[in-house]
């Protein structure tokens, strides 16, 4: 059969992470690849109880179709949580529940992007946001980014010289893939630039609650007086990703458009999942649960950074994130992380080469390490092994 696919399909390729994850399903593989939470922290016993209660108390509603916007008590909870933590002023009407924040990224493409439009992003940026936006035929411009976020003069220069910029996409907290966090000043400057050039900002924040040290900062949205910022959130990293419940929050006029495209995508989020999360929040203390996650991830971050410092050869640098799930490694320029991966997979250690986080290519001497998913002893064993592989590359000047 000569399959006549849409043009957009030709620019999409299988996610490298997904391909690598196939290998990492083997139990002997020590994986620093996916962005998976620690499964031992999922509150399985509590969820059993919650599931039973939801079915007993509202079984038929929980199994019925529901509104596209989502379960009102859950949207109210999300608005209050964001307002309390992030300095926003949302009401339940400003929130649309989505199937993970990933769906909010896809819907954003549907709402804002025509073919040939431009998305500005950090350099590097989240791989699956690139795939989500790319399907709508956009181009990407990477804004030079340092440890504090996008560099304002560079952002301004690109905005002033680039026609058809529709979206500025940022991950200000414990970024995927670098683990970096934007400074307060940069958040404010971003909104000023977006207002000046009348461009939407999509602020993607799935990791903000997982801060190991330092103060929680106000969201980019907190600086927005005109509705040009949309904020994405998720229960994937604070609760369980399997529920696939996230959200998008923003100006009501914009959220109404998202409701229209979500109707076309899947009508609504899974009804019982929404109700179970709301019931969990009613019965249990999410803060206590998140405190447990933070403590485990903080220890794993510390161990990861310490072991890399001990085992990685000179000339290799890495970030020390204040929260989240990832650290970012930069190798000497002549070493390609994809070649390193081939060798380390032979030794049953996996990570994600960094090149795929740059929508316009390059930067092949980088890779991402996830530290949330492996128990401590496997982190040490895996990073020692990876350190050995890196030393071989440097010693033999392998290309
Ligand atoms: N945005 C970023 C930056 C992410 O890292 C992820 C998950 N890896 C997502 C969005 C999607 O998360 P979910 O759909 O599970 O909410």
């Amino acid at each position: 059969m000569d399959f006549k696919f849409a043009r957009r399909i030709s620019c999409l390729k299988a996610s490298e992470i997904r391909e690598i994850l196939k290998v990492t399903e083997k139990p002997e593989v020590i994986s620093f690849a996916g962005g998976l939470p620690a499964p031992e922290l999922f509150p399985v016993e509590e969820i059993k109880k919650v599931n039973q209660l939801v079915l007993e108390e509202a079984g038929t509603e929980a199994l019925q179709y529901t509104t596209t916007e989502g379960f009102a008590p859950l949207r109210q909870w999300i608005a209050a949580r964001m307002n309390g933590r992030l300095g926003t002023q949302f009401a339940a009407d400003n929130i649309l529940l989505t199937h993970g924040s990933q769906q909010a990224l896809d819907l954003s493409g549907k709402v804002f992007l025509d073919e040939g439009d431009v998305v500005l992003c950090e350099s590097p940026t989240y791989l699956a946001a690139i795939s989500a936006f790319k399907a709508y035929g956009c181009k990407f411009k990477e804004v030079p980014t340092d440890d504090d976020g996008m560099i304002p003069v560079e952002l301004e220069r690109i905005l002033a010289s680039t026609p058809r910029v529709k979206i500025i996409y940022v991950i200000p907290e414990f970024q995927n893939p670098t683990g970096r966090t934007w400074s307060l000043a940069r958040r404010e400057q971003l909104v000023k630039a977006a207002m000046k050039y009348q461009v939407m900002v999509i602020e993607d924040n799935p990791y903000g609650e997982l801060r190991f040290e330092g103060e929680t900062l106000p969201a980019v949205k907190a600086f927005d007086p005109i509705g040009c910022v949309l904020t994405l959130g998720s229960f994937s990293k604070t609760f369980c990703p399997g529920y696939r419940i996230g959200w998008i929050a923003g100006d009501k006029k914009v959220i109404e458009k998202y409701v229209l495209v979500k109707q076309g995508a899947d009508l609504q989020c899974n009804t019982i999942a929404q109700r179970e999360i709301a019931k969990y929040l009613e019965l249990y203390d999410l803060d206590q649960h998140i405190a447990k996650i933070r403590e485990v991830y903080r220890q794993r971050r510390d161990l990861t950074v310490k072991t890399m410092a001990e085992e990685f050869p000179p000339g290799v640098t890495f970030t020390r994130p204040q929260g989240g799930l990832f650290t970012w490694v930069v190798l000497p320029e002549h070493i390609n992380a994809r070649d390193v991966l081939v060798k380390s997979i032979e030794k049953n250690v996996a990570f994600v080469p960094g090149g795929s986080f740059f929508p316009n290519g390059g930067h092949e001497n980088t890779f991402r390490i996830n530290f949330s998913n492996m128990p401590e002893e496997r982190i040490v064993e895996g990073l020692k092994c990876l350190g050995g592989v890196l030393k071989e590359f440097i010693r033999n000047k392998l290309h």
Side-chain angles (χ1 to χ4, degrees):
M1 168 68 191
D2 177 19
F3 295 110
K4 295 191 174 56
F5 293 118
R7 241 181 309 155
R8 72 177 67 89
I9 288 298
S10 65
C11 65
L12 299 181
K13 55 181 180 14
S15 148
E16 199 153 2
I17 299 188
R18 298 237 156 241
E19 291 305 303
I20 296 166
L21 277 176
K22 284 183 195 156
V23 182
T24 61
E25 275 162 18
K26 291 196 240 159
E28 65 272 25
V29 171
I30 299 180
S31 178
F32 302 109
L36 305 186
E40 65 274 23
L41 296 173
F42 295 154
V44 177
E45 289 308 313
E46 289 87 337
I47 289 173
K48 274 189 203 162
K49 188 168 161 201
V50 157
N51 173 265
Q52 199 178 352
L53 273 175
V54 165
L55 288 171
E56 277 168 18
E57 290 171 11
T60 52
E61 288 105 314
L63 297 169
Q64 186 55 284
Y65 283 117
T66 184
T67 59
T68 304
E69 288 84 349
F71 190 46
L74 187 54
R75 292 161 66 217
Q76 258 150 26
W77 184 93
I78 291 167
R81 180 89 175 175
M82 291 178 86
N83 298 346
R85 291 188 62 252
L86 302 173
T88 55
Q89 292 180 325
F90 290 123
D93 283 358
N94 296 109
I95 315 284
L96 167 69
L97 298 187
T98 54
H99 272 131
S101 44
Q102 190 63 37
Q103 184 181 42
L105 291 170
D106 179 52
L107 298 183
S108 299
K110 235 177 180 174
V111 167
F112 286 109
L113 296 176
D114 292 312
E115 230 177 298
D117 283 343
V118 176
V119 173
L120 303 190
C121 62
E122 291 156 284
S123 181
T125 189
Y126 170 47
L127 177 57
I130 302 174
S131 331
F133 295 145
K134 217 181 209 174
Y136 295 94
C138 69
K139 298 186 169 68
F140 294 90
K141 276 219 166 166
E142 295 165 42
V143 179
T145 307
D146 64 17
D147 283 349
D148 289 330
M150 282 179 179
I151 299 169
V153 286
E154 299 286 353
L155 175 61
E156 175 84 31
R157 181 182 57 76
I158 292 172
L159 283 168
S161 60
T162 313
R164 299 189 59 180
V165 176
K166 282 284 194 65
I167 291 174
I168 308 173
Y169 171 68
V170 297
I171 309 148
E173 309 267 326
F174 322 125
Q175 198 230 20
N176 182 359
T178 62
R180 289 172 180 149
T181 294
W182 284 47
S183 70
L184 202 59
R186 291 282 177 89
R187 294 172 195 228
E188 196 171 1
Q189 284 159 330
L190 169 64
V191 176
K192 283 200 176 131
M195 283 165 64
K196 180 170 167 192
Y197 291 91
Q198 297 285 295
V199 177
M200 289 307 293
V201 173
I202 296 181
E203 169 186 34
D204 188 5
N205 187 7
Y207 305 110
E209 298 247 14
L210 304 180
R211 179 177 274 283
F212 313 142
E213 60 219 8
E215 293 284 300
T216 300
L217 296 175
V220 172
K221 178 69 190 172
F223 298 99
D224 168 24
I226 63 162
C228 67
V229 181
L230 293 161
T231 305
L232 274 46
S234 177
F235 286 107
S236 289
K237 306 301 186 319
T238 52
F239 192 49
C240 309
Y243 273 109
R244 308 304 305 128
I245 297 291
W247 63 88
I248 180 160
D251 188 287
K252 273 185 223 163
K253 288 202 289 294
V254 182
I255 295 299
E256 279 165 18
K257 303 291 185 212
Y258 277 80
V259 171
L260 294 178
V261 295
K262 183 162 167 73
Q263 278 165 1
D266 59 2
L267 297 178
Q268 55 152 108
C269 287
N270 176 327
T271 316
I272 194 163
Q274 302 176 49
R275 292 211 172 225
E276 286 188 12
I277 294 179
K279 183 55 81 183
Y280 177 91
L281 297 169
E282 188 189 313
L283 293 185
Y284 298 98
D285 184 349
L286 184 71
D287 287 324
Q288 229 172 51
H289 179 61
I290 293 175
K292 259 194 267 172
I293 300 176
R294 267 197 220 119
E295 187 47 28
V296 170
Y297 291 3
R298 189 185 59 72
Q299 282 174 19
R300 291 182 184 177
R301 186 272 320 259
D302 288 346
L303 192 62
T304 298
V305 169
K306 178 173 167 285
T307 313
M308 290 196 302
E310 287 165 3
E311 302 292 335
F312 285 10
V316 177
T317 62
F318 46 85
T319 56
R320 182 183 184 280
Q322 292 185 315
L325 270 59
F326 306 108
T327 175
W328 181 247
V329 181
V330 180
L331 303 172
E333 243 168 71
H334 68 279
I335 299 178
N336 187 323
R338 293 176 205 264
D339 299 334
V340 177
L341 179 64
V342 171
K343 293 280 173 216
S344 76
I345 285 275
E346 282 170 13
K347 298 182 186 320
N348 287 329
V349 177
F351 58 82
V352 183
S356 20
F357 296 91
F358 296 86
N360 299 320
H363 307 269
E364 295 294 348
N365 60 321
T366 57
F367 63 88
R368 188 190 74 178
I369 289 284
N370 164 269
F371 53 75
S372 58
N373 185 242
M374 286 284 128
E376 277 74 5
E377 63 285 358
R378 299 198 87 200
I379 290 179
V380 174
E381 187 190 338
L383 290 176
K384 273 189 178 167
C385 177
L386 185 52
V389 172
L390 290 174
K391 281 173 195 154
E392 240 175 81
F393 267 79
I394 287 189
R395 197 177 322 118
N396 300 331
K397 290 210 181 327
L398 287 175
H399 290 259

